[in-house]
């Protein structure tokens, strides 16, 4: 089952690799700076970027860190990371292809282990966090940035249903209390949190989706119905004839207990 699931992830993210690497929303320098500064990246840090995708975060934090390793399941994403690294002339980043449910690194290998916009794609988020904790020095930091929904069961259900319809690799976006339960179970504690939103034009997102036209119409309808009173957790707005949706992101800095 894991193999099927991983093949689906690789297929979908290979298809999307170019779009992801170029998406302005994912390359936004302000959001990268928020992550880097709250993580307190410094010159002595050895960093692991978990499910690094096209390497945007890995290359950004490499400016301040001693060394960065990016790991991702999708070879096409790692290729994008290498291209970005070459275009920026960075020498302190290396790449691995692999499943982050079993990180191919020894215990305590990194001082900072981070992951951005990936937890909602993971079949077993707890197993991945346990691995992140294992490879992180006990005095180090773990940083997770991802969608974090309000603790409202209707919103959590609707958000995840719509995202699963749009994106076959979407597993589950967590609410704040679900994240807390995940952290408690893994033996890590939040020391700092910062929240921001990432905004997309709905039609742009749907253009990258392999969902049927009928399914896309269902998504449009539910999002439009939420324009007045958000029941899908995407804070939709209409501007200049476009419907825009906004993903609520939390960045959690975690210490190991
Ligand atoms: C939305 S992208 C996030 C990319 C990147 N972290 C960023 O912030 O730009 C999610 C990434 O998770 C990767 N991924 C999903 N499941 C994975 C797994 N089990 N092991 C490794 N990578 C995985 C996908 O290949 C994809 O590149």
């Amino acid at each position: 089952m894991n193999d099927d699931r991983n093949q689906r992830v690789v297929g979908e993210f290979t298809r999307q690799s170019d779009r992801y690497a170029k998406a302005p929303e994912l390359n936004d320098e302000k959001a990268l700076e928020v992550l880097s500064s709250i993580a307190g990246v410094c010159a002595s840090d050895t960093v692991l970027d978990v499910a690094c995708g096209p390497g945007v975060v890995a290359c950004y934090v490499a400016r301040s860190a001693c060394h960065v390793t990016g790991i991702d399941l999708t070879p096409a994403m790692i290729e994008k990371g290498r291209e970005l690294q070459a275009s920026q002339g960075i020498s302190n980043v290396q790449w691995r292809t692999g499943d982050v449910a079993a990180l191919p690194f020894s215990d305590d290998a990194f001082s900072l282990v981070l992951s951005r916009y990936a937890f909602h794609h993971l079949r077993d988020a707890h197993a991945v966090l346990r691995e992140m904790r294992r490879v992180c020095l006990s005095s180090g930091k773990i940083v997770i940035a991802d969608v974090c929904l309000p603790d409202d069961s209707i919103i959590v259900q609707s958000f995840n249903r719509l995202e699963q319809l749009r994106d076959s690799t979407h597993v589950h976006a967590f609410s704040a209390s679900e994240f807390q339960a995940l952290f408690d179970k893994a033996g890590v504690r939040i020391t700092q949190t910062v929240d921001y939103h990432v905004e997309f034009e709905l039609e742009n997102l749907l253009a990258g989706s392999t969902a049927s036209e009928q399914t896309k119409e269902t998504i449009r309808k539910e999002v439009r119905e939420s324009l007045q009173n958000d029941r899908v957790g995407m804070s939709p707005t209409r501007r200049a004839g476009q419907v825009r949706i906004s993903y609520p992101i939390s960045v959690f800095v975690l210490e190991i207990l």
Side-chain angles (χ1 to χ4, degrees), residues 9 13 20 51-53 72-74 77 98-100 116-117 121-122:
V9 167
F13 281 104
Y20 260 89
C52 63
D72 199 279
L73 192 60
T74 307
M77 285 293 202
D99 187 342
V100 297
R116 187 185 80 155
Y117 306 163
H121 291 294
L122 301 175

Side-chain angles (χ1 to χ4, degrees), residues 2 5-6 9-14 17 20-21 26-27 32 35 49-58 71-78 96-103 114-124 128 145-146 167 169 171 196:
N2 217 0
R5 155 98 199 137
N6 282 358
V9 167
V10 171
E12 184 56 20
F13 281 104
T14 299
S17 57
Y20 260 89
L26 305 176
N27 284 277
L32 288 164
L35 180 64
D49 183 1
V50 170
C52 63
V56 176
V57 172
I71 180 168
D72 199 279
L73 192 60
T74 307
M77 285 293 202
I78 292 295
R96 292 287 289 260
T97 303
D99 187 342
V100 297
L103 291 171
L114 56 84
S115 182
R116 187 185 80 155
Y117 306 163
F119 262 59
H120 63 276
H121 291 294
L122 301 175
R123 192 186 51 84
D124 187 346
V128 174
D146 203 10
D167 173 2
T169 66
V171 177
Y196 62 90

Side-chain angles (χ1 to χ4, degrees), residues 175-186 188-190 252:
S175 69
S177 62
E178 287 173 332
F179 263 121
Q180 188 59 61
L182 184 74
F183 298 154
D184 289 346
K185 190 171 169 197
V188 295
R189 181 170 60 203
I190 301 173
F252 298 105

Side-chain angles (χ1 to χ4, degrees), residues 39-179:
V41 184
C42 69
S44 58
D45 271 325
T46 48
V47 183
L48 177 65
D49 183 1
V50 170
C52 63
V56 176
V57 172
C59 288
Y60 191 85
V61 299
R63 299 174 187 183
S64 317
C66 173
H67 190 270
V68 182
T69 303
I71 180 168
D72 199 279
L73 192 60
T74 307
M77 285 293 202
I78 292 295
E79 204 36 53
K80 292 289 173 196
R82 289 190 206 283
E83 286 170 20
L84 184 65
Q85 176 183 12
S87 75
Q88 297 184 352
I90 300 169
S91 59
N92 60 340
V93 181
Q94 69 179 39
W95 308 96
R96 292 287 289 260
T97 303
D99 187 342
V100 297
L103 291 171
F105 307 108
S106 52
D107 297 1
D108 306 330
F110 301 93
S111 62
L112 172 60
V113 180
L114 56 84
S115 182
R116 187 185 80 155
Y117 306 163
F119 262 59
H120 63 276
H121 291 294
L122 301 175
R123 192 186 51 84
D124 187 346
H126 173 66
V128 174
L129 182 53
R130 200 175 50 215
E131 278 292 90
M132 290 171 73
R133 185 185 192 279
R134 178 184 66 76
V135 301
C136 188
L137 281 169
S138 54
S139 57
K141 281 182 213 158
I142 296 174
V143 176
I144 294 172
D146 203 10
V147 171
C148 180
L149 298 167
D151 287 314
D152 174 324
S153 59
I154 292 178
I155 287 184
V156 174
Q157 245 181 36
S158 307
F159 182 98
N160 281 299
R161 185 173 43 78
L162 289 191
E163 286 294 87
Q164 282 163 3
L165 287 177
R166 183 185 65 77
D167 173 2
S168 64
T169 66
H170 180 96
V171 177
H172 184 79
F174 291 88
S175 69
S177 62
E178 287 173 332
F179 263 121

